[in-house]
Structure formats: C-alpha cells, structure tokens
C-alpha cells in the first residue's frame, strides 16, 4: 500500500503543469553552477544564469521541431541584442536612441502572435541583463565577445534541454491544457447549477455575473488548448494520440455550448415550481456533471482511464420522472414552462452522452471539419499587414510599445542623472512592471515592491545563517526554480525568489550585502517610472474603452445568431465557420469581463461606469446563453416549419444588435427600434398545440432575445451618459 501511494503521489507530481518547467530550470541552473565550481570560474555564474532565465522566459509551447526553430531564432535575437549593447554602451546618446527604438520594435512584434511577442520580450530582457553584466565590470568593454557569448551559451543550454524535453514528452502540455479546460468546465457547471436553486427572488443577475466571469477563464483555457493542439497538428495529419486529444477538445467545446445555454428566465421557473423538486433535480444533475468534468480532468492529467459514473445518469432519470409527474398534472399555466424544461432536460441528456463519450474518445466519429483556425501569419505580406494595422495610436499594442520605449529611455536618463549603484536594475524593474493596462501595472507594481522587500529581508537573514559558499549556491538554484514555479500565479513570491537568487549569485563573486540597498532603491525607481508612464503616456482607461468593447461584443453576438440561423436552414455542421463565430462571441464576452476587472483597479474617476458595465456583462452573458441554446439544438428544419416570422425576427434582431453596436461605437444614444420587440415576443409565444418541438424552441428562444433588447438599449444609453445616476447603484455581486 505505501508503495502504491508513493507511486500515485509521484504521478500527481509529474502531472503538475509547473513541475516539468521547474525541473528543466533546476537541471539548467545546477549544470551551470556545477560547471562554475569545477572550473573555479565563479565569474561565469551570473551571465550563464541570466542567459538561462531569459531563455526560459522566451520559451513557447510547440512540437520539438517547432521549438528547435524558435530556439534558433531566439538565439540569433539574443546574440544581436547582447552585441549591440556591448558596442553602444560607451555612447550614451546612441545607446538611448537604440534602446527606445528597439524596445518599440520588439514590443510591436506582439502583433504577429503570442509566440513572437514572447521571444521579443525575452530578447529585451536579455539586453538589459547584458547592461547589468557590463555595469558590473565598471562599464568597460574590453572584451566584446565574452559576456554576449556566455549569455547566449546559458540560453542555448536551457533551450537544448527544452527541445529534448519536447521530443521526449511532446503530449504532456496537451494533456495539461485539456485537463485545465475540463476543470474550468466543472466549475462553470457548478456555478450554472446555482441558478437552479429553488429560491424565490433569487439574485439571478449576480449569479449570472459570476458565471460570466468564470466563462472568461474557461474561454481562455479553451483558446490555450487550441493553440497547443494546433502546434502538434501543424500542416500534416494528426497522429492517433493527437487525434484523440483533438476529439476531446471538440467534446469540451460541445459541452461548453450546452452548458452555457439557457431555456427560460430562472426567476419564473422558481416561482412556478417552488413546491416541486424539478429545479432541485436540474441543480443536482448539473453539479454531478460538473464533478464528472473534474474527474475527467484528473484522468487526462494522470493518463488514466476515465470511468464514467452512473450517478449522473440516475439523476437524469429522476429529472425525467419529475417532469413526467408535472406533465401529468395538466396545469395549463405550466404548459410553456414545462416545454422549456423538457428542452433543458434534452440538453442535459445530450451533455450526459458527451461526458459518456469522453470515456472512449477513440470511438467517436471523425468531425466533419476538424480544421483549427491558425491566427499566426504565414507570409511576409501577412506580417506586414498585421504590423500596419497596429501602427496607429488607437491600437492598444502601439500605445504599450510607445509607453514602454519612453519609460526605458526615461529610466536610462534617471540612472545617468543620479548615478545610482547597480542602476540598470531600474530598467529591468520597469520592463517587468509596465503592463498594457493601468490595472495590471498597478497590481504588478505592488507585487514587485512587496516581493523585492521580502526577498531582501530573507537574503539578509540567510547570509548570516548559511555563510558557506556551497550551501549558498544551493539556495540560489532553489530560488531560481521557485521563481519559475510561481511567476504566473504568485508574482510576489516569485519576485522574492528571484531577488534571493540574485543576492546569492552576486555573493559568489563579491559582496551580496552591498546589493541590498541598491536593489531596493532601483526597484522603487523603476516601479515609479512604470507607474507614471502608464498613467501619463496615452493611458488606456477601460472606462473610456468600455463602449467600444461592448459594441464589439454585440457585433459578435449578431454574427453568431446569423450563423446559427443558417444552420437551421442547411443542417447542423460543426465546421470551422460556425466554431469560429461561436468562439469569437465567447471571446468578446470574456474580453468585456477582463476590461471590467481592470477597470476596478483604476482611479475612482475612471471607474464610475463600472456598475453599468457589469450590468452590461450580465446582460451580454444572458444573450449569449440564449444564443447557445439555439446553437445547442440546431438542426435542419423544412422551410415551411421555419416560417417567415422566425427568419424575419432573427434577421431583425441581428440587425438591431449591429445597429446598437454601431451607435455605441460612434458614442451615439441608440435610436428608437423599428421593431416592437415586446409585441414580437408575444407573437412568437403564441404557440399552437401541434407545433413542431424544434420550431417551438426556436420561437421561444427568439422571444427571450427580443425581451433583452429594451434593457440593452437602456443600459447602453446609461453607458453613454457618464454623469447619469447609473453609477450610483452597487455592482451586482460586489
């Protein structure tokens, strides 16, 4: 039993996303530390360590071939940056001009995709590391080649480990990404289940807001998984193992669409069926399906078979029995609600089948169109077009690039003005703290300062506790590993760890105590410069951007509705066009949630529209849930069943969303609608007894969308009136 428990614990450790990353860093740092000790050349330690850190920060997920190509590009960029610093260091005016221009150019490379942006960011960091090493030797450039070669050697050493790891364990990132998707799906289903709590006057808006925020995390996980799978598929045919994960990804997409769908206002269901157990049955089933998603996530992560539990199937049987009992009561007031509940039960039944199919994805039929949309440019023309589109002051990337370039130039001016000891740490702090938005910069600034203070205090204490050089070397390696294990989740702790590593590395070649005060002062100066830059230089206040973000969300919802209606005419197809508009609608909803989260960190004057914005988010997610219900049940309908009223209403609703988006983008209050949506909703809800169930669902969902249009216009009007009383009410769920 102990051996089995140990084996299971090791499997869980191996499955952790940060473990493999940390293990590679540990091997790389330990190897360089051992080399420096055996050669008695501790002067090699700092440039080798800095090269490893820059290479690890520039690492992107890919197949081993793709990773090798990215490594070669990274090393060329690193070498060019390091040699440029060495050459220009003695000429301050040329240096600051090159620093500003290269920072702007490297940041703008983010327009080509995350992979290029990551490599560019790593190159900028390595350039500053080169400045630090030159400054360590008094600014003298006696040997042009030594320091750049050592930095690039450290980067190459880590890069080779990364390529080897990708070749040996190429599927591990796919497993971890899919496991993350199903974990987020499990949490989403649990939050969705809370909407079915049979409580009168339930604060549905607050719960929808919480659901919308979780949807943003789920969409981010889906997007990350798609990119990782796409890197494995490439231009060729997927291997059987990758094909298995691709099927699981499509299953997750289908579950997401069905989980995010809504079939009727929850307050009305709670009021009508308060004395019944039907809503409790829905809640129980959703919670069990959420639990099944979490179990599936663990099975994928640990590479174990997914044993689908029968509990959910039994809960579905109980739900159907409860519906049959209510149907037998023949209550005319329940007729429409029961039909919606039957549609909900059908949707949950299909979700149940999808979870069952996930236990053996190899048995699933091949998708009609398994193409994944590749957003990376594939020609010089596409590269030029991407960059041209971003070269405008309205572009958030352009603003960030200009802001960062001027901030680094200002930091360089400050260090030459006051001549602080170890002054180039100012530039490094500015690079890490200065983020594209004020909210993110404010968060990173606080974390950076707190982490630095914590790391300096810990370093000061550990110098006395562990004076021996070998033990200090081990602490430096451990701190470097801790930085990479925590940098994306606990940045304060990560900053403390990297500060500790720097102190102990410098103590190997000099006086680590002498770095404590300069490191603190430089961190404060660099953070101040970054904060002022994001506040003063083309600031991206989310409150000012909110109308355009909401407008984009409505446009994406409109396209999603039109694509759904096309499939009701031609038949269900999960092709690339449909999956793309569906993903864009969810991405836009997630972008609105992220913008509002950043707005809450901005100064009070700029977040006065936050309350209205959060109500817009709740309403946007409500619209998306009704659209998802239409998408979940889509199937070809004969023309005589679709009818003119359905198609006419869908087109008018899509056009109405487009018109509101257009007027919102122009900062104009929405004009009076040409369609009386409330009257049209009533007309759609006049359902004949012998009406086809698919047509009934179409009319019901379109009626629900109609009833959201008036509140939407009212919210948009409030959003365009910053001095209105819209901000007086408390944000839902706050």
């Amino acid at each position: 039993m102990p051996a089995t428990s140990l084996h299971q614990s090791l499997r869980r450790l191996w499955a952790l996303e940060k473990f493999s990353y940390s293990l590679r860093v540990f091997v790389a740092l330990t190897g360089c530390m051992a080399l420096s000790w055996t050669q008695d050349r501790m002067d090699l330690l700092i440039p080798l360590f800095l090269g490893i850190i820059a290479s690890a920060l520039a690492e992107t997920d890919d197949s081993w071939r793709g990773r090798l190509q990215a490594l070669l590009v990274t090393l060329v960029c690193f070498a060019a940056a390091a040699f440029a610093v060495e050459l220009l260091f003695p000429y301050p005016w040329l240096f600051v001009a090159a620093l500003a221009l290269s920072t702007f150019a490297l940041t703008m490379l983010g327009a080509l995709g995350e992979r290029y942006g990551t490599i560019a960011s790593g190159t900028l960091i390595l350039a500053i590391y080169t400045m630090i090493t030159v400054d360590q030797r008094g600014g003298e450039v006696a040997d042009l080649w030594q320091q750049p070669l050592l930095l690039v050697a450290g980067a190459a050493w880590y890069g080779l480990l990364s390529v080897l790891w990708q070749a040996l364990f190429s599927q591990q990132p796919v497993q971890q990404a899919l496991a993350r998707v199903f974990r987020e799906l499990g949490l989403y289903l649990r939050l969705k289940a809370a909407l079915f709590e049979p409580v009168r006057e339930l604060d549905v808006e607050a719960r929808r807001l919480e659901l919308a925020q979780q949807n943003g995390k789920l969409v981010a996980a889906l997007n990350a998984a798609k990119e990782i799978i796409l890197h494995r598929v490439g231009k060729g045919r997927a291997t059987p193992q990758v094909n298995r994960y691709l099927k699981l990804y499509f299953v997750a997409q289908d579950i997401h669409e069905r989980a995010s769908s809504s079939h009727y206002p929850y307050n009305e269901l709670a009021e009508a069926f308060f004395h019944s157990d039907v809503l409790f049955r829905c809640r129980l089933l959703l919670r069990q399906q959420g639990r099944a998603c979490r179990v599936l996530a663990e099975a994928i992560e640990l590479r174990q078979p997914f044993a689908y539990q029968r509990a959910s199937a039994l809960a579905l049987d109980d739900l159907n029995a409860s519906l049959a009992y209510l149907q037998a009561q023949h209550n005319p007031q329940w007729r429409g609600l029961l039909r919606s509940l039957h549609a909900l039960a059908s949707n949950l039944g299909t979700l149940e089948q999808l979870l069952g199919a996930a236990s053996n994805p190899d048995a699933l039929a091949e998708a009609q169109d398994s193409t994944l949309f590749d957003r990376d440019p594939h020609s010089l023309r596409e590269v030029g077009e991407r960059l041209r589109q971003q070269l405008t002051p309205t572009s958030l990337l352009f603003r960030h690039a200009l802001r960062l370039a001027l901030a680094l130039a200002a930091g360089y001016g400050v260090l030459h003005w006051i001549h602080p000891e170890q002054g180039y740490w100012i530039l490094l702090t500015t690079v890490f703290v200065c983020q594209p938005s004020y909210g993110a910069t404010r968060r990173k600034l606080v974390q950076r300062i707190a982490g630095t203070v914590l790391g300096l205090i810990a370093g000061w204490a550990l110098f006395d506790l562990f004076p021996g050089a070998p033990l200090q070397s081990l602490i430096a390696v451990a701190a470097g590993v801790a930085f990479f294990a925590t940098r994306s989740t606990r940045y304060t702790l990560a900053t403390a760890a990297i500060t500790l590593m720097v102190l102990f590395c410098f103590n190997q070649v000099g006086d680590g105590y002498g770095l404590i005060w300069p490191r603190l002062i430089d961190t404060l100066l660099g953070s101040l410069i970054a904060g002022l830059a994001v506040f003063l230089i083309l600031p991206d206040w989310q409150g000012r951007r909110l109308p355009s973000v909401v407008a984009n969300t409505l446009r994406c919802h409109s396209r999603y509705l039109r694509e759904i209606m096309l499939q009701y005419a031609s038949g269900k197809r999960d092709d690339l066009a449909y999956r793309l508009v569906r993903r864009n609608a969810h991405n836009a909803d997630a972008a609105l949630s992220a913008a509002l989260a950043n707005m809450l960190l901005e100064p009070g004057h700029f977040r006065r529209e936050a309350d209205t914005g959060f109500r817009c988010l709740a309403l946007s997610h409500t619209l998306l849930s009704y659209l998802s219900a239409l998408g979940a049940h889509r199937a070809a309908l004969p023309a005589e069943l679709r009818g003119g009223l359905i198609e006419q209403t869908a087109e008018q609703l899509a056009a109405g969303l487009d018109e509101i988006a257009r007027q919102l983008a122009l900062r104009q209050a929405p004009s009076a609608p040409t369609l009386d949506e409330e009257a049209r909703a009533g007309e759609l809800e006049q359902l004949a007894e012998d009406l086809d169930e698919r047509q009934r669902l179409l009319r019901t969902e379109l009626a629900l969308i109609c009833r959201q249009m008036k509140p939407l216009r009212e919210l948009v009007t409030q959003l365009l009136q910053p001095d209105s009383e819209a901000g007086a009410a408390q944000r839902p769920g706050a």
Side-chain angles (χ1 to χ4, degrees):
M1 182 65 72
T4 304
S5 178
L6 176 62
H7 180 258
Q8 189 70 5
S9 299
L10 290 175
R11 291 193 69 164
R12 290 183 181 279
L13 180 64
W14 178 259
L16 288 177
E17 193 169 350
K18 295 298 180 184
F19 177 73
S20 60
Y21 192 25
S22 303
L23 184 59
R24 293 197 298 275
V25 172
F26 173 76
V27 173
L29 294 178
T30 304
C32 289
M33 183 68 75
L35 176 68
S36 301
W37 272 97
T38 55
Q39 298 297 316
D40 196 22
R41 291 285 308 276
M42 298 308 293
D43 58 304
L44 304 178
L45 186 65
I46 292 175
L48 288 175
F49 266 36
L50 294 178
I52 290 170
I53 293 170
S55 183
L57 291 174
E59 183 180 25
T60 57
D61 177 78
D62 214 327
S63 64
W64 73 268
R65 292 183 181 86
R67 179 65 188 130
L68 180 59
Q69 293 173 357
L71 174 63
L72 294 176
V73 172
T74 301
L75 294 179
V76 170
C77 292
F78 280 12
F83 283 121
V85 168
E86 293 273 354
L87 286 170
L88 298 176
F89 199 87
Y91 312 103
W93 288 106
L94 280 176
F95 188 90
V96 71
L99 175 64
L101 288 174
S102 60
T103 299
F104 180 82
L106 287 169
T107 308
M108 287 300 297
L109 286 179
L112 306 182
E114 184 179 356
R115 182 186 316 185
Y116 301 93
T118 302
I119 293 174
S121 175
T123 302
L124 182 59
I125 290 168
L126 184 115
I128 298 175
Y129 285 163
T130 309
M131 300 175 204
I132 292 171
T133 59
V134 175
D135 188 50
Q136 282 297 114
R137 37 179 217 265
E140 298 180 2
V141 190
D143 189 345
L144 180 64
W145 303 97
Q146 182 180 2
Q147 293 298 325
L149 286 177
L150 287 172
L151 286 163
V152 173
W157 164 229
Y158 177 82
L160 288 174
L161 286 175
S162 177
V163 172
L164 179 61
W165 191 277
Q166 291 287 1
L168 294 174
F169 311 108
S170 62
Q171 303 308 320
Q172 190 181 42
V174 187
Q175 295 160 2
Q176 292 166 342
L178 279 174
R180 187 164 62 250
V181 166
F182 281 102
R183 273 197 302 271
E184 297 293 351
L185 261 176
L187 182 54
Y188 186 89
L189 285 167
R190 185 173 67 81
L191 292 174
K192 188 65 179 278
L195 287 170
F196 289 92
E197 198 153 348
V199 177
R200 288 193 178 103
E201 303 302 326
L202 180 70
D203 191 353
V204 173
E205 189 175 10
R207 297 201 177 185
R208 276 199 178 277
L209 181 56
E210 190 178 8
L211 197 64
Q213 291 168 333
Q214 173 58 25
N215 187 60
K217 298 176 184 177
L218 173 54
V219 168
L222 281 165
N223 289 338
K226 188 263 289 185
E227 292 299 324
I228 290 174
I229 294 172
L230 182 62
H231 293 159
R232 269 66 182 175
V233 175
K235 296 180 181 179
R237 185 175 178 82
T239 63
Q241 194 170 13
V242 172
N243 194 49
R244 172 189 175 88
Y245 294 133
L246 184 60
K247 289 179 179 179
L248 279 173
Y249 172 75
F250 287 138
V251 166
Q253 280 196 324
D254 287 344
I255 292 175
H256 182 211
E257 182 171 55
R258 293 187 176 278
S260 60
S261 63
S262 181
H263 295 79
Y264 215 81
Y266 297 100
N267 277 333
E268 293 187 31
L269 291 173
E271 185 69 29
F273 301 112
F274 184 77
H275 297 290
S276 169
D277 67 347
V278 68
L279 293 184
F280 170 78
R281 299 292 180 191
C282 292
R283 178 172 172 267
L284 177 63
L285 178 57
L286 277 167
R287 289 180 69 88
Q288 289 182 342
Q289 289 174 338
R291 193 176 300 115
C293 282
R294 294 195 295 274
V295 172
L296 175 57
E298 186 174 348
I300 294 171
E301 209 165 38
L302 298 178
R303 292 179 297 163
Q304 293 177 338
F306 171 52
Y308 186 60
Q309 299 297 320
R310 179 66 182 158
S312 297
L314 293 174
L316 180 60
D317 293 339
D318 291 341
L319 172 59
N320 288 325
S322 182
L323 282 172
Y325 175 79
L326 291 173
Q327 194 76 45
Q329 304 304 306
H330 300 294
N331 187 332
Q333 295 180 345
W334 294 350
R335 188 174 297 136
L337 294 173
L338 282 175
R339 285 169 180 151
S340 294
L341 283 177
H342 277 294
L344 170 63
S346 172
N347 190 43
L348 293 177
T350 306
L351 201 156
E352 189 76 8
Q353 293 171 10
L354 289 169
L355 285 170
S359 61
N360 185 19
D362 294 326
L364 290 171
E366 295 289 340
Q368 293 176 346
D369 182 1
S370 59
T371 309
L372 296 176
F373 184 65
D374 189 357
R375 298 182 184 274
D376 288 343
H378 295 285
S379 67
L380 288 177
R381 181 178 179 180
E382 289 184 29
V383 168
E385 182 63 23
R386 291 274 187 96
L387 293 174
R388 187 189 63 78
Q389 290 174 354
Q390 296 294 329
L391 285 173
T392 168
T394 60
S395 163
L396 301 183
L397 181 63
F398 177 89
R399 291 180 173 213
H400 177 56
L402 182 63
R403 191 183 301 133
L404 187 57
L406 294 177
L408 288 182
Y412 185 78
V414 166
L415 69 89
H416 273 274
W417 175 39
I418 63 177
H419 297 285
E421 193 177 350
Q422 308 289 347
Y424 286 89
W425 294 105
I426 295 174
L427 302 185
L428 189 66
T429 300
T430 301
V431 166
F432 279 110
V433 171
C434 191
Q435 301 294 307
S437 69
Y438 175 88
T441 301
R442 175 182 162 181
R443 188 186 303 113
K444 193 62 71 76
L445 184 148
V446 172
Q447 293 171 337
R448 185 82 183 181
I449 293 175
T452 299
V453 171
L454 182 62
L456 293 174
I457 293 173
W460 172 77
L462 291 173
F463 278 152
D464 288 335
L465 287 174
F466 305 104
L471 196 54
Q472 289 190 5
S473 300
L474 293 177
I475 293 174
V477 171
V481 173
F483 168 73
F484 285 98
T486 58
R487 72 183 185 92
S488 60
T489 52
R490 299 182 179 180
Y491 191 70
T492 300
L493 184 58
T495 303
I498 199 68
T499 301
L500 200 60
M501 190 201 82
V502 168
L503 288 177
F504 279 100
C505 283
F506 275 81
N507 204 48
Q508 300 290 314
V509 295
D511 179 19
Y513 283 104
L515 189 63
I516 291 178
W517 282 109
R519 174 82 173 181
L520 177 60
I521 294 170
D522 292 348
T523 297
L524 294 174
L525 287 173
S527 298
L528 177 63
I529 291 169
L532 290 174
V534 80
F535 188 83
L536 298 174
I537 304 171
L538 296 176
D540 296 320
W541 303 118
Q542 301 300 314
R544 294 177 180 173
R545 290 186 57 243
L546 193 56
S548 60
V549 176
V550 175
N552 181 60
T553 304
L554 297 180
R555 279 192 295 268
C556 290
H557 289 351
S558 171
R559 295 187 192 110
Y560 188 21
L561 175 56
R562 285 192 168 101
E563 187 65 30
I564 288 170
M565 295 311 297
L566 283 176
Q567 298 220 355
Y568 273 100
S570 60
K572 178 180 178 179
R573 300 183 316 279
D574 281 330
D575 55 6
L576 180 61
Y578 178 79
R579 286 186 278 112
L580 189 58
V581 296
R582 179 176 64 186
R583 185 58 44 216
N584 286 342
H586 282 282
N587 281 340
D589 196 63
L592 177 57
S593 177
L596 290 166
N598 281 324
M599 184 191 292
L600 293 180
L601 296 173
E602 294 178 350
H605 175 73
F606 295 104
R607 62 171 186 263
R608 59 186 176 181
E609 298 173 16
D611 298 329
T612 305
F614 276 101
R615 290 201 295 275
C616 282
L617 175 61
L619 196 147
S620 166
H621 198 69
T622 301
L623 274 175
L624 187 55
S625 68
Y626 294 146
L627 292 172
S628 295
L630 285 173
H633 295 281
R634 69 192 188 281
L637 283 177
E640 63 272 13
L641 290 183
R642 292 199 307 274
L645 181 64
I646 289 177
E647 291 183 348
Q648 182 184 11
T649 302
E651 180 54 38
Q652 288 173 330
L653 288 173
L657 290 171
D658 282 336
E659 181 60 19
I660 296 173
R662 186 188 69 81
Q663 293 172 324
L664 194 54
L666 295 174
R667 304 297 198 273
Q668 297 175 354
S671 55
T674 57
L675 172 68
D676 185 345
E677 287 114 355
E678 189 65 30
R680 179 59 60 84
E683 187 179 356
L684 287 166
E685 288 171 342
Q686 298 299 316
L687 305 173
E689 287 298 323
D690 59 346
L691 196 64
D692 180 85
E693 285 300 322
R694 292 169 296 176
Q695 189 182 18
R696 186 188 303 279
L697 184 135
L698 253 175
R699 293 171 68 110
T700 301
E701 295 294 337
L702 289 175
L704 290 171
I705 296 173
C706 282
R707 296 191 192 280
Q708 298 300 311
M709 298 298 285
K710 182 180 178 181
L712 177 62
R713 288 190 180 88
E714 292 173 352
L715 279 177
V716 166
T717 301
Q718 291 178 12
L719 195 62
L720 295 172
Q721 295 174 352
D723 296 324
S724 69
E725 298 178 359
Q730 285 190 348
R731 174 173 63 86

